[in-house]
């Protein structure tokens, strides 16, 4: 075997799994295109126990350093296929293949896209899915944020400190956040809130130049109904009428409409639920013996960094127990105490 344990995904779940696997002396490899996952792009994390405030990048970087100090090996290629063999698994990437005794799937979620013309073509040229990553590129410019949930509000607040004008565009008058949060956002002078507007096209040649909007009748529930009276546009003339549509000139578009599990490549291997999340039991086991899963790609009810980390540790200890049993050994508990 090349490795005892291969972890696919380098976010909090995968990194914590690696730390726990390495503590049990499992030769461990993480396959991840980028370490840190979605947590790494969080502007500020305020709910990690014991730390009042820390950037997501620093938090996940600390995890990676800790794991590498224990002996973690990483591969920055993309995992494409897992094959079950008699004594374990073969994990194939776009460049290599590895043999291992157990696998942990911990590759998190993928940003949901709008699916409108111009989005794919202008991604990286004004279209972004990460305000924290790309926000500094739009200092003093006009940007639009698409969405009505916590991630959209966080992006709007952050971008308001960099951009000239920020337009929050929601396809209903409902927001999946608390009313007091909307009131706080309304108090920021360069934030505009456009309700019941949907993006039909993102327009530009070499970069984003404008977006085409249409009045939407779609109502999202549950959520706080802001009502149109709470939606504001500092300069109404910026919306230019164009037939059945309105056009808004912006330099950047930040799409913040949530995330989806990118699990199609394991759909024929492990059992998924109707949301395409990997189904696990309370020990992190999947429907395939020897394959475990942890974090946001699974069917856990809450998608939080601290929960993903806990699920990662649990999956790793379950994998250790599984591998020990295969060797006829008794797995000992990990109390997290150096003796």
């Amino acid at each position: 075997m090349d490795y005892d344990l291969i972890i696919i995904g380098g976010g909090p779940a995968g990194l914590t799994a690696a730390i726990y696997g390495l503590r049990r002396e499992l030769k461990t490899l993480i396959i991840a295109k980028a370490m840190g996952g979605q947590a790494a792009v969080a502007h500020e994390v305020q709910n990690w126990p014991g730390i009042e405030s820390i950037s997501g990048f620093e938090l996940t970087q600390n995890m990676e350093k800790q794991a590498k100090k224990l002996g973690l090996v990483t591969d920055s290629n993309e995992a494409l296929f897992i094959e079950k063999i008699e004594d374990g698994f073969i994990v194939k990437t776009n460049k290599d293949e590895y043999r291992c005794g157990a696998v942990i799937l911990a590759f998190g979620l993928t940003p949901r896209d709008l699916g409108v013309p111009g989005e794919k073509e202008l991604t990286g040229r004004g279209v972004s899915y990460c305000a924290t990553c790309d926000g500094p590129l739009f200092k003093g410019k006009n940007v639009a944020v698409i969405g009505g949930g916590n991630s959209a509000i966080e992006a709007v607040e952050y971008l308001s400190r960099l951009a000239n004008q920020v337009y929050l565009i929601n396809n209903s008058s409902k927001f999946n956040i608390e009313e007091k949060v909307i009131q706080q956002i309304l108090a920021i002078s360069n934030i505009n809130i456009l309700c019941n507007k949907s993006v039909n096209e993102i327009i530009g040649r070499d970069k984003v130049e404008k977006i085409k909007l249409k009045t939407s009748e779609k109502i999202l529930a549950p959520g706080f109904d802001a009502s149109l009276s709470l939606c504001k546009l500092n300069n109404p003339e910026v919306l230019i009428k164009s037939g059945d549509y309105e056009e808004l000139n912006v330099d950047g578009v930040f799409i913040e409409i949530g995330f989806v599990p990118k699990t199609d490549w394991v759909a024929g291997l492990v059992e998924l639920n109707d949301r395409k999340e990997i189904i696990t039991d309370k020990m992190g086991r999947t429907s395939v013996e020897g394959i475990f899963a942890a974090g946001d790609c699974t069917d856990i009810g809450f998608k939080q960094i601290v929960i993903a980390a806990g699920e990662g540790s649990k999956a790793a200890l379950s994998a250790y127990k599984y591998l020990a049993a295969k060797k006829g050994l008794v797995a000992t508990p990990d109390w997290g105490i150096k003796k």
Side-chain angles (χ1 to χ4, degrees):
M1 287 293 175
D2 298 315
Y3 293 93
D4 298 310
L5 177 64
I6 290 180
I7 300 165
I8 300 172
L15 287 168
T16 307
I19 290 168
Y20 272 75
L22 290 160
R23 281 177 56 84
R24 306 317 292 162
E25 298 186 352
L26 299 179
K27 188 179 180 183
T28 302
L29 168 71
I30 281 184
I31 299 174
K33 293 177 70 175
M35 300 299 286
Q38 292 297 325
V41 302
H43 176 61
E44 186 177 18
V45 176
Q46 296 182 334
N47 56 2
W48 185 262
I51 300 177
E52 185 175 348
S53 177
I54 189 172
S55 73
F57 176 76
E58 185 180 0
L59 178 62
T60 54
Q61 190 176 55
N62 289 345
M63 293 180 186
E64 183 181 355
K65 287 179 180 177
Q66 183 178 359
K68 285 187 172 179
K69 189 175 181 179
L70 292 169
L72 174 67
V73 180
T74 61
D75 182 332
S76 60
N77 292 300
E78 181 178 9
L80 300 176
F81 184 73
I82 299 172
E83 178 185 352
K84 185 170 177 58
I85 56 178
E86 184 177 354
D87 58 346
F89 301 90
I90 296 175
V91 179
K92 298 180 181 180
T93 73
N94 52 317
K95 288 190 176 181
D96 299 294
E97 68 177 47
Y98 305 97
R99 291 174 177 265
C100 65
V103 175
I104 295 178
L105 304 174
F107 46 81
L109 299 174
T110 301
R112 181 180 283 114
D113 58 35
L114 290 172
V116 299
E119 178 182 6
K120 183 177 180 180
E121 294 80 359
L122 293 169
T123 294
R125 291 186 288 167
V127 173
S128 172
Y129 302 87
C130 176
T132 306
C133 307
D134 300 328
L137 301 174
F138 297 88
K139 189 173 183 179
K141 298 182 179 181
N142 298 327
V143 299
V145 176
I146 317 302
N150 287 323
S151 61
I153 294 299
E154 182 178 338
V156 165
E157 190 279 329
Y158 172 62
L159 290 167
S160 70
R161 292 181 259 144
L162 300 170
N164 176 41
Q165 293 290 320
V166 182
Y167 300 93
L168 173 60
I169 299 170
N170 187 15
N171 65 354
S172 81
S173 61
K174 282 189 174 290
F175 292 84
N176 295 320
I177 51 178
E178 297 178 3
E179 179 180 357
K180 65 179 181 180
V181 177
I182 282 289
Q183 295 291 353
Q184 291 170 358
I185 293 297
L186 282 168
I188 301 174
S189 62
N190 66 334
I191 289 179
N192 305 264
I193 303 179
L194 285 71
C195 296
N196 290 346
K197 301 286 185 182
S198 60
V199 178
N200 280 64
E201 186 178 359
I202 301 173
I203 301 169
R205 287 192 175 184
D206 299 322
K207 61 180 181 178
V208 170
E209 298 172 8
K210 57 187 175 182
I211 54 178
K212 186 178 285 187
L213 304 173
K214 188 173 184 179
T215 300
S216 173
E217 297 180 355
K218 183 178 180 181
I219 299 298
L220 300 178
F224 163 61
D225 192 338
S227 81
L228 297 181
S229 63
L230 289 183
C231 297
K232 68 168 185 173
L233 184 58
N234 296 331
N235 300 298
E237 63 272 14
V238 299
L239 280 180
I240 303 169
K241 189 71 176 177
S242 176
D244 295 332
Y245 299 91
E246 294 172 306
E247 293 181 350
L248 177 65
N249 294 327
V250 292
D251 303 291
V253 179
F254 292 86
I255 299 169
E256 299 283 352
I257 55 174
F259 300 86
V260 293
K262 192 178 179 181
T263 53
D264 289 346
W265 70 285
V266 295
L269 179 66
V270 295
E271 187 178 354
L272 308 178
N273 64 14
D274 56 1
R275 295 191 298 272
K276 295 187 175 182
E277 298 168 324
I278 300 168
I279 297 174
T280 60
D281 66 9
K282 64 181 182 179
M283 299 302 291
R285 294 173 293 207
T286 71
S287 56
V288 176
E289 188 178 60
I291 298 182
F292 306 82
D296 290 359
C297 65
T298 73
D299 59 348
I300 57 172
F302 300 98
K303 313 295 187 182
Q304 297 288 321
I305 296 174
V306 67
I307 293 174
E311 293 291 308
S313 64
K314 185 166 61 178
L317 292 175
S318 292
Y320 161 67
K321 184 176 181 180
Y322 165 78
L323 292 169
K326 285 184 66 175
K327 296 177 181 179
L329 304 174
V330 177
T332 55
D334 186 321
W335 302 109
I337 300 173
K338 185 176 181 180
K339 297 180 180 180

